[in-house]
Amino acid sequence: MIAIIGGGVFGLSIGWYLARSGQAVTIFERGQVGRGATWAAAGMLMPWKLSDSFSDDLFALQRDSYQRWPRFAQELGEISDIPLHYQTDGRFFVALFDNAVQRLERQYRFHRDIGFPVEWLSGDEAREREPNLGPNVLAAIFTPMAHHVDNRNLILALREAFLAVGGRLREQTEVQELLISNKRVHGLQLSGETCSAETVIIAAGAWSGRVPGLPQPLQDVVRPRKGQTLILQMPPDAPLIKQPILGPVYLVPRPDGRLIIGTTVEREAGFDTRSTVGGVFHILRKAQGIIPNIEELPIIELGAGLRPTGPDRLPVLGPTGVDGLIMATGGHSYGILLSPVVAFTVCHLALTGHILEIIRPFAPNSGSDKI
Ligand SMILES: Cc1cc2nc3c(=O)[nH]c(=O)nc-3n(C[C@H](O)[C@H](O)[C@H](O)COP(=O)(O)OP(=O)(O)OC[C@H]3O[C@@H](n4cnc5c(N)ncnc54)[C@H](O)[C@@H]3O)c2cc1C
């Protein structure tokens, strides 16, 4: 039996791929599936090199996964009726200050030179397309390449797909300890029950280093990076914006008029997911600089999620040095984007023992110590 710890987007995607290839797979989720970082996300899907120091290996992994997304979405759509709202209509990146314009120009040149379809717009040109953009927007990039998905529906669809191909799901079931002896994993300790497994995949998000029984070097494999968000309600027939906008914060519209805005990246908050005045204030102030008219919208939800962040913000994917034990975590801010490639490569590893080249740079403990 293959056991997966964690029912977030990584655990469910891997579980779906393994179960449909005929394996007996059980996902253990201590709460309800998808209520960790995956619930808090905005669902934006695009490879993007944010800075000169952004890892080439990560960019390659993002591009690979981005190319897998249309098929991933189509196959999910064939199994589940839950609409993913997988949208391919593009996104604006905006700059509000001179130094942000220079940064955006560098990103524009880099992505144009590698062949991405990017269009440089003045503030006024951007306002012609999205009239509610505020006067502080000095410049923008538009790219039709940016896609997005409703991450909450994605989880519901993955749950359905996993069960439809014979996967076994145990929600409200916390894994209390990994059973390891002679450098081999044998199974899991649950409350009042042990469960044998030849392969265990740890996909427990920001908690991946905290599963009891994990050997010491793996305990620091990821740290939580808190991200706060708000959801506002726009009139569905008169939305303030049509396409996602990314600046100092992001604003992502959903077809039902919800507007997801975020986020913070907090190093010191530990595992605390409460909303804070400072976090909410920061997001609203920045969002209002981009779209002043959000002032009129009701707030329908405050939330936060914990990004699983590996060393240098790189994913952590691969064998661990304990036979049968695999890590699949470290999605940081791009875990929804990365799910198809993670599902494919981790499934391949679990079935064949072979590590595909694309994930080799992300072996547990291969990065630096900087988290
Ligand atoms: C505010 C915010 C915005 C984001 N926006 C985007 C975006 O636009 N695009 C994008 O690609 N990515 C985005 N991300 C990143 C993305 O959400 C994450 O990388 C991804 O969801 C991580 O998925 P996961 O399955 O690894 O972890 P999670 O979704 O956190 O799932 C881990 C699961 O493991 C369970 N678990 C933990 N310990 C145990 C245990 N001992 N036993 C049983 N179960 C256990 C937890 O209950 C949880 O359900 C965003 C993240 C945040 C916080």
Side-chain angles (χ1 to χ4, degrees):
M1 198 266 279
I2 301 178
I4 299 178
I5 307 175
V9 75
F10 274 17
L12 276 170
S13 305
I14 297 165
W16 174 38
Y17 274 38
L18 283 168
R20 75 181 187 181
S21 64
Q23 301 299 307
V25 189
T26 303
I27 295 179
F28 296 88
E29 166 54 55
R30 65 175 172 202
Q32 226 180 318
V33 290
R35 300 300 171 124
T38 305
W39 205 248
M44 291 180 285
L45 309 172
M46 184 178 176
W48 193 255
K49 222 166 159 25
L50 283 166
S51 64
D52 298 341
S53 60
F54 194 88
S55 154
D56 288 336
D57 292 327
L58 174 56
F59 192 48
L61 190 74
Q62 289 188 338
R63 292 179 75 171
D64 182 302
S65 202
Y66 174 81
Q67 279 158 8
R68 292 176 188 272
W69 249 100
R71 179 135 182 244
F72 190 71
Q74 186 202 327
E75 287 176 348
L76 270 179
E78 284 162 12
I79 295 192
S80 162
D81 288 336
I82 295 167
L84 296 183
H85 301 303
Y86 175 55
Q87 283 170 272
T88 56
D89 49 357
R91 179 202 305 172
F92 293 91
F93 293 81
V94 298
L96 279 71
F97 297 101
D98 287 338
N99 58 351
V101 173
Q102 286 159 20
R103 236 187 353 259
L104 199 64
E105 264 179 324
R106 280 200 299 279
Q107 293 180 15
Y108 167 73
R109 279 196 297 272
F110 173 82
H111 293 93
R112 180 199 59 193
D113 292 350
I114 60 167
F116 280 20
V118 282
E119 198 181 342
W120 183 260
L121 304 170
S122 68
D124 286 340
E125 286 168 336
R127 275 180 288 277
E128 273 172 32
R129 303 205 194 167
E130 283 286 5
N132 280 303
L133 281 173
N136 293 341
V137 172
L138 301 179
I141 298 173
F142 177 75
T143 173
M145 209 181 136
H147 301 165
H148 59 116
V149 69
D150 183 329
N151 41 294
R152 294 184 178 181
N153 281 10
L154 169 66
I155 273 296
L156 302 177
L158 279 170
R159 184 184 194 280
E160 243 180 56
F162 174 66
L163 294 174
V165 291
R168 195 157 169 245
L169 180 59
R170 294 191 56 182
E171 290 177 290
Q172 313 300 339
T173 307
E174 180 163 25
V175 173
Q176 298 192 335
E177 193 172 353
L178 285 169
L179 303 177
I180 297 175
S181 59
N182 300 325
K183 289 200 141 197
R184 170 151 246 309
V185 70
H186 298 283
L188 308 170
Q189 180 66 48
L190 312 173
S191 170
E193 184 190 346
T194 53
C195 176
S196 318
E198 301 89 59
T199 304
V200 174
I201 299 170
I202 301 183
W207 301 270
S208 294
R210 296 206 143 200
V211 182
L214 206 58
Q216 211 293 320
L218 296 167
Q219 291 172 14
D220 284 329
V221 84
V222 281
R223 300 268 168 81
R225 288 286 173 268
K226 179 177 175 181
Q228 300 191 44
T229 57
L230 291 97
I231 304 185
L232 314 183
Q233 184 65 54
M234 304 185 289
D237 49 349
L240 286 186
I241 54 172
K242 295 185 288 295
Q243 279 145 337
I245 296 172
L246 191 69
V249 291
Y250 56 72
L251 300 99
V252 179
R254 297 276 188 245
D256 60 3
R258 281 177 301 146
L259 181 64
I260 322 291
I261 62 175
T263 178
T264 55
V265 184
E266 298 169 53
R267 295 173 69 92
E268 310 301 337
F271 290 86
D272 184 344
T273 53
R274 288 173 298 180
S275 302
T276 63
V277 173
V280 171
F281 184 65
H282 166 84
I283 295 166
L284 285 176
R285 196 161 45 90
K286 300 279 183 195
Q288 194 208 20
I290 302 173
I291 306 283
N293 290 347
I294 58 161
E295 274 189 2
E296 295 156 22
L297 302 178
I299 299 174
I300 57 170
E301 191 181 309
L302 295 178
L306 302 174
R307 301 174 186 84
T309 301
D312 296 327
R313 302 185 173 200
L314 298 179
V316 180
L317 302 168
T320 55
V322 174
D323 284 349
L325 186 65
I326 294 172
M327 277 276 174
T329 185
H332 187 57
S333 294
Y334 12 78
I336 311 290
L337 167 63
L338 294 182
S339 359
V341 74
V342 167
F344 177 75
T345 55
V346 173
C347 176
H348 182 83
L349 173 63
L351 294 181
T352 65
H354 176 243
I355 308 168
L356 289 164
E357 282 310 311
I358 191 92
I359 59 164
R360 231 173 241 287
F362 309 112
N365 300 326
S366 68
S368 76
D369 292 336
K370 275 194 290 161
I371 293 201

